[in-house]
Amino acid sequence: MTTFADLGLDPKVLSAVTDAGYTEPTPIQAGAIPPALAGRDVLGIAQTGTGKTASFVLPMITLLGRGRARARMPRSLVLAPTRELAAQVAANFDTYAKNTKLTKALLIGGVSFKEQDALIDKGVDVLIATPGRLLDHFERGKLLLTGVQIMVVDEADRMLDMGFIPDIERIFQLTPFTRQTLFFSATMAPEIERVTNTFLSAPEKIEVARRATTAESIEQGVVKYTATRKDRQASEKRALLRALIDGEGEKCKNAIIFCNRKTEVDIVAKSLKKYGYDAAPIHGDLDQSQRTRTLAAFRDGSLRFLIASDVAARGLDIPDVSHVFNYDVPSHAEDYVHRIGRTGRAGKLGKALTICVPHDEKWLAAIEDLVEKEIPRVESPLKGGAKARRDRDVQDDAAPAKEAPAAPAPRPRDTAADPAPTAPRTPRDRDRDRDRDRGGRNRRGGKSGRDDAVVGMGDHMPAFLTRSFKPKPDPETTEETAD
DNA sequence: AAAAAAG
């Protein structure tokens, strides 16, 4: 049996690994570390939760052991798709490099340049970054990548999903072709294959069995739910979520609740808080300090419910999540696997419950296709079927305790979804966002056959300029038409 | 009926 001691790591690294409580490498670690230490390129095909991070951090620290950093010329570079993942890699680096003098800088967006600049100027051994912020530093002439000896790309398939591949290719070209490359992806999409063919040389390929999608450690269930009335869908769905949480009782130590949209994340978090649940939102529109604080609180157990967009679906290592609730069925089947994979980790048991409204049935079918299993149907904890709910519906607001037994009385009205206090986004906002988009990636191509263009507005004429100024009555908000 | 990433 292989132990870490057999892998040829620097003794300082080895003792840090031992201190962290590990003796036996995971398959990806056992496979990737020896060739990496031998200076070879590595192509690792592995999901998160397989010990992937240590499989590049440990050899990297060992290889960088000799030599020291020069100003503005980092000796190695790790690229991750999200800020949280980059921060997680940085934390791993700190853990395993604690007996060395190696230095690092974390270059992510949403925080000030100042500290990052100071570190780069001084010189760091390891740069851990998201692509956008890294290129930003480079373009401002603060950074030279010609000294990079080792480059790591983590979660490449997610980079692909997020449109980062052109950035990654550009960064590759800024580093010396003699560099060593360690490249990790959960899947080998054709586009990923093309990149590895271009930038890796004779890589050692290590493929680790996909983490069982329906791990026995995760109990799964789907709750089908149909609104009694269209205009009640949102608030009933939140009531159902509360009932599901309450139904789990003490067993639900903590949970991540996934929503498909950022606005929904905010609404659900606000609603749960209103009902006395210890909940906080996390998604990409929140500022970085809040994201960091919220995640830290959830990790250390001081926050019980994390309401999240898919920013938290992949890669994040949060030990001890007892439950995952999918408030929405994810529209990409893969994401389901990633989301529920946040629970049932490290030998612990977990439970994943998914709420499915009729509109989402096709996505549910796609998920069951992917995992090649039927997810057990679970009866809705809200009493009775649709008919019973319809009958009860009239006095919904007057029947407090029934739906949320654990909620503190008096039951506040769930007004989280009421017209927002902040102004709704206008087409103009969206156009401004698109203008900001860099590289014009998301820009409309061609003339799109519009013959009513307004002179002087280029391709970015706000849509409302071509419409009547008189607002149409909105069928969604006119109660009378609901039945 | 999407999220993420630069500011």
Side-chain angles (χ1 to χ4, degrees):
Chain A
M1 180 181 60
T2 326
T3 65
F4 276 109
D6 304 328
L7 297 178
L9 294 165
D10 183 321
K12 288 176 186 165
V13 177
L14 194 56
S15 78
V17 170
T18 310
D19 289 352
Y22 299 107
T23 51
E24 204 183 312
T26 66
I28 185 79
Q29 291 160 358
I33 292 174
L37 288 174
R40 297 197 46 196
D41 282 1
V42 169
L43 173 55
I45 302 165
Q47 313 277 112
T48 50
T50 53
K52 192 161 46 79
T53 308
S55 77
F56 60 79
V57 170
L58 302 182
M60 220 173 67
I61 300 170
T62 300
L63 290 166
L64 294 172
R66 322 178 145 271
R68 63 167 197 276
R70 291 162 56 193
R72 294 183 197 182
M73 288 183 66
R75 300 159 68 208
S76 68
L77 176 60
V78 180
L79 294 169
T82 67
R83 299 169 185 174
E84 277 75 12
L85 280 171
Q88 196 169 286
V89 172
N92 267 266
F93 174 83
D94 288 341
T95 303
Y96 298 122
K98 67 174 185 178
N99 301 323
T100 74
K101 289 198 157 63
L102 297 178
T103 57
K104 63 132 211 294
L106 175 62
L107 304 190
I108 58 174
V111 295
S112 113
F113 280 93
K114 212 171 145 198
E115 278 177 53
Q116 298 177 358
D117 278 341
L119 287 168
I120 294 171
D121 280 346
K122 225 165 81 187
V124 291
D125 298 293
V126 184
L127 216 51
I128 301 161
T130 46
R133 182 54 78 97
L134 180 86
L135 285 171
D136 207 341
H137 277 284
F138 179 81
E139 278 156 14
R140 297 173 344 136
K142 292 285 184 185
L143 187 60
L144 283 169
L145 295 177
T146 47
V148 170
Q149 297 156 26
I150 307 170
M151 173 161 157
V152 179
V153 179
D154 196 11
E155 303 262 333
D157 54 330
R158 181 138 194 231
M159 302 252 197
L160 175 67
D161 289 348
M162 292 167 63
F164 281 162
I165 293 299
D167 288 346
I168 297 300
E169 291 183 282
R170 182 155 167 238
I171 295 166
F172 264 123
Q173 281 155 356
L174 298 173
T175 63
F177 74 97
T178 51
R179 69 165 191 270
Q180 179 184 5
T181 309
L182 312 176
F183 192 100
F184 295 86
S185 184
T187 60
M188 285 302 283
E191 185 71 357
I192 303 276
E193 183 114 35
R194 188 183 61 74
V195 173
T196 58
N197 288 339
T198 311
F199 296 103
L200 273 65
S201 90
E204 174 83 18
K205 195 169 169 181
I206 295 113
E207 188 156 5
V208 164
R210 201 194 163 72
R211 197 162 163 253
T213 49
T214 43
E216 299 77 39
S217 59
I218 307 173
E219 180 188 349
Q220 299 174 67
V222 174
V223 183
K224 300 269 187 118
Y225 150 71
T226 308
T228 55
R229 253 170 55 177
K230 206 173 175 186
D231 60 319
R232 288 275 165 89
Q233 158 144 348
S235 80
E236 285 184 355
K237 201 173 170 188
R238 290 191 293 272
L240 172 57
L241 173 67
R242 294 194 299 275
L244 287 172
I245 292 171
D246 296 342
E248 294 301 308
E250 294 280 299
K251 284 182 299 172
C252 185
K253 224 181 109 264
N254 61 355
I256 305 181
I257 297 158
F258 284 105
C259 304
N260 286 1
R261 290 177 303 170
K262 292 180 279 196
T263 51
E264 201 77 45
V265 169
D266 285 331
I267 291 168
V268 171
K270 201 168 151 196
S271 162
L272 283 175
K273 257 189 283 188
K274 185 168 284 200
Y275 278 84
Y277 295 80
D278 179 26
I282 188 165
H283 59 68
D285 279 356
L286 298 172
D287 70 56
Q288 189 55 37
S289 64
Q290 192 181 344
R291 281 166 67 169
T292 307
R293 251 184 294 123
T294 300
L295 194 58
F298 189 68
R299 275 199 171 113
D300 73 23
S302 56
L303 173 69
R304 187 167 172 224
F305 296 105
L306 182 68
I307 325 302
S309 70
D310 280 318
V311 69
R314 300 198 198 190
L316 288 192
D317 189 31
I318 303 162
D320 258 357
V321 178
S322 74
H323 285 66
V324 165
F325 296 94
N326 286 312
Y327 183 80
D328 299 306
V329 181
S331 53
H332 285 328
E334 272 294 326
D335 287 336
Y336 176 80
V337 180
H338 290 293
R339 287 182 182 185
I340 71 164
R342 297 308 97 203
T343 186
R345 291 162 80 84
K348 298 247 166 55
L349 292 179
K351 188 161 181 179
L353 288 172
T354 299
I355 299 175
C356 180
V357 300
H359 175 275
D360 296 352
E361 303 251 359
K362 55 182 183 298
W363 293 336
L364 180 64
I367 289 166
E368 294 185 320
D369 249 26
L370 177 78
V371 304
E372 295 176 327
K373 230 176 219 173
E374 198 188 348
I375 303 167
R377 270 36 176 185
V378 172
E379 178 120 22
S380 167
L382 293 182
K383 292 218 178 69
K387 166 128 184 8
R389 280 204 301 280
R390 210 159 29 238
D391 296 342
R392 199 167 39 106
D393 192 43
V394 208
Q395 34 170 336
D396 176 67
D397 271 340
K402 212 172 238 170
E403 293 175 53
R411 176 175 182 263
R413 277 180 59 90
D414 184 352
T415 51
D418 286 354
T422 53
R425 284 170 61 82
T426 63
R428 189 196 292 273
D429 289 331
R430 281 191 293 274
D431 272 43
R432 182 164 17 80
D433 283 357
R434 197 182 47 225
D435 288 347
R436 272 208 311 255
D437 220 297
R438 51 195 257 281
R441 260 204 302 274
N442 296 348
R443 224 163 265 168
R444 233 180 332 225
K447 294 269 178 277
S448 69
R450 205 167 59 199
D451 53 2
D452 51 358
V454 173
V455 177
M457 303 219 57
D459 204 19
H460 301 298
M461 178 178 55
F464 68 85
L465 282 184
T466 62
R467 282 199 231 107
S468 157
F469 283 93
K470 194 163 193 176
K472 289 186 299 197
D474 183 358
E476 289 296 312
T477 54
T478 41
E479 291 235 355
E480 276 63 47
T481 59
D483 245 335

